[in-house]
Amino acid sequence: MSTRAREYAAQVIRRERLSEHFIRLVLGGDGLAGFASTGIPDEWVGLVVPGQFQSRYYTVRSWDGSELVLDVVVHDHGLVTEWAQRDVVGETVTVTEPKGSFALPDGAGWLLLVGDLTGLPAMARIRETVGLPTRVWVESPEIVEDYLPAGAEVAWSTPPSDDASHLATVVEGIDWPEGEGYFWMAGESAQMRAIRKHLMRERRLPSSAYDVMGYWRGGATRQPRAVDPGPLWRAGKAAGKSDEEIWADYDRAAGSD
Ligand SMILES: Cc1cc2nc3c(=O)[nH]c(=O)nc-3n(C[C@H](O)[C@H](O)[C@H](O)COP(=O)(O)OP(=O)(O)OC[C@H]3O[C@@H](n4cnc5c(N)ncnc54)[C@H](O)[C@@H]3O)c2cc1C
C-alpha cells in the first residue's frame, strides 16, 4: 500500500490579516478538484510554497468544496512565515490530502483543549464540530478576538518570554472534570513530549483519552527535518499502534528525540 499522500496544486485566491500574528490564506482553483475533507476536526494538510520543496503543516480551518482556508501564524522567521507576509495572491502552492488524529472516545462527556497560537485553528474547528462542554486554554502573545466559536470557557495567557512556554504548568494546574472526556493539545514538540509523559504517568490516562501533538520545534539552530505526519499516521494505524505511539514515532522521525 502506498503511503504517499495525494497532492493538489491550488491558487491563493485571498489573503487576509486576522491579527498581528495570524494570516488567513484562502486557496482555490481547479487544482483542488477531488480534494475532500476527512471530517476529522483537527485535520491538516502539507503545504509547499513556491520555490520550495519542504512542506509545512497547516490545519484545514475550513473546506466548503471550493475554498480551502488555512490560518498561518507568522513568527520571527521561517519558510512559510516569510512567504505569507508578502502579497501572495495569485501564487500556486501544493497541498496534500488532509489527515486528522482527533478521536473522541464513545461516552466522552467533556472536552479540554490546550495549545499555543498554532493550535488555535484546530481548537476553533473542534469547538465548532463537537457539542460537548469545552474548556480551552490558549497561550498566545495576543488575544485573537472572536476567533473561537462562542460557548466554550476560554483562558488566554501570554508566554513568559519569546522562547519559553508555561503550557506544562497550565496542564499540571488543570482541575479535571469528573467522568470520561477527551484532552486535545498542540504546541512545541519537546514540551508536548513532556506533557504526554505527565498524562501517562501522573494522570494515568489511557492513550485513547488524549491526543497531544508536537506542531513545531523550537530551539533549533539548524532547520529541523520536515516530516509529513500523514504517512506515519497511516502506517501506524495500519500496524495497530495507539495515537501515543504514533506521535512518539513522529517525534523520532523529526529528530526531536
Ligand atoms: C498537524 C499540524 C498542524 C498545524 N497547524 C498549524 C496551523 O493551522 N497554523 C499554523 O500557523 N501552524 C500550524 N502548525 C505548525 C507549523 O507547521 C509550524 O509552526 C511550522 O514550523 C511553521 O513553518 P515556517 O516555515 O513558518 O517556519 P520554519 O521554517 O518551520 O521554522 C523557522 C524557525 O521558526 C521556529 N518556529 C516554527 N514554528 C514556530 C512557532 N509557531 N512559534 C515560534 N517559533 C516557531 C522554528 O523553531 C525555527 O527555528 C501545524 C503543525 C502540525 C504538525
Side-chain angles (χ1 to χ4, degrees), residues 94-170:
T94 303
V95 291
T96 57
E97 65 184 325
K99 293 290 154 219
S101 81
F102 180 93
L104 194 68
D106 290 341
W110 46 260
L111 198 54
L112 303 182
L113 308 175
V114 186
D116 61 21
L117 211 44
T118 61
L120 198 58
M123 294 194 282
R125 199 169 144 199
I126 292 167
R127 172 65 202 145
E128 239 162 49
T129 317
V130 183
L132 290 176
T134 303
R135 279 156 66 198
V136 184
W137 288 263
V138 191
E139 185 182 70
S140 160
E142 61 175 338
I143 294 181
V144 189
E145 300 287 353
D146 301 325
Y147 187 86
L148 282 164
E153 200 184 302
V154 186
W156 293 85
S157 63
T158 316
S161 72
D162 281 354
D163 53 3
S165 162
H166 65 196
L167 281 176
T169 321
V170 167

Side-chain angles (χ1 to χ4, degrees), residues 56-59 71 73 75 77 79-81 118 215 217:
R56 298 292 185 264
Y57 301 98
Y58 288 92
T59 304
D71 289 342
V73 175
H75 46 91
H77 62 100
L79 204 140
V80 173
T81 287
T118 61
Y215 264 20
R217 296 194 46 233

Side-chain angles (χ1 to χ4, degrees), residues 4-253:
R4 205 175 152 74
R6 250 187 96 176
E7 293 183 347
Y8 303 84
Q11 258 85 53
V12 182
I13 55 176
R14 284 197 304 284
R15 176 188 174 279
E16 183 189 345
R17 191 171 274 276
L18 298 180
S19 70
E20 191 187 341
H21 297 91
F22 236 170
I23 292 177
R24 171 157 293 176
L25 297 176
V26 181
L27 309 182
D30 294 344
L32 281 177
F35 184 89
S37 168
T38 61
I40 304 171
D42 67 349
E43 67 184 344
W44 64 84
V45 291
L47 171 73
V48 182
V49 300
Q52 298 290 341
F53 298 98
Q54 289 188 14
S55 297
R56 298 292 185 264
Y57 301 98
Y58 288 92
T59 304
V60 176
R61 181 65 189 84
S62 64
W63 165 246
D64 65 2
S66 65
E67 293 189 352
L68 174 64
V69 177
L70 310 180
D71 289 342
V72 172
V73 175
V74 290
H75 46 91
D76 289 349
H77 62 100
L79 204 140
V80 173
T81 287
E82 280 151 47
W83 173 79
Q85 299 200 70
R86 296 195 281 105
D87 176 11
V88 293
V89 173
E91 294 192 18
T92 301
V93 296
T94 303
V95 291
T96 57
E97 65 184 325
K99 293 290 154 219
S101 81
F102 180 93
L104 194 68
D106 290 341
W110 46 260
L111 198 54
L112 303 182
L113 308 175
V114 186
D116 61 21
L117 211 44
T118 61
L120 198 58
M123 294 194 282
R125 199 169 144 199
I126 292 167
R127 172 65 202 145
E128 239 162 49
T129 317
V130 183
L132 290 176
T134 303
R135 279 156 66 198
V136 184
W137 288 263
V138 191
E139 185 182 70
S140 160
E142 61 175 338
I143 294 181
V144 189
E145 300 287 353
D146 301 325
Y147 187 86
L148 282 164
E153 200 184 302
V154 186
W156 293 85
S157 63
T158 316
S161 72
D162 281 354
D163 53 3
S165 162
H166 65 196
L167 281 176
T169 321
V170 167
V171 174
E172 280 160 23
I174 289 177
D175 182 13
W176 288 70
E178 291 293 320
E180 252 190 77
Y182 192 56
F183 177 93
W184 185 98
M185 178 163 189
E188 198 281 322
S189 295
Q191 292 173 33
M192 296 307 105
R193 276 206 311 283
I195 285 165
R196 273 184 226 123
K197 280 186 190 142
H198 168 78
L199 297 177
M200 211 166 24
R201 292 180 190 164
E202 262 74 58
R203 292 221 48 87
R204 302 191 169 277
L205 290 181
S207 61
S208 57
Y210 64 92
D211 189 7
V212 175
M213 287 183 284
Y215 264 20
W216 59 278
R217 296 194 46 233
T221 45
R222 186 170 59 81
Q223 230 3 73
R225 228 163 358 124
V227 177
D228 182 352
L232 280 171
W233 188 257
R234 288 191 293 277
K237 282 288 164 193
K241 290 188 179 176
S242 67
D243 293 3
E244 169 72 26
E245 289 166 330
I246 295 172
W247 283 106
D249 286 349
Y250 176 68
D251 289 339
R252 268 193 296 278

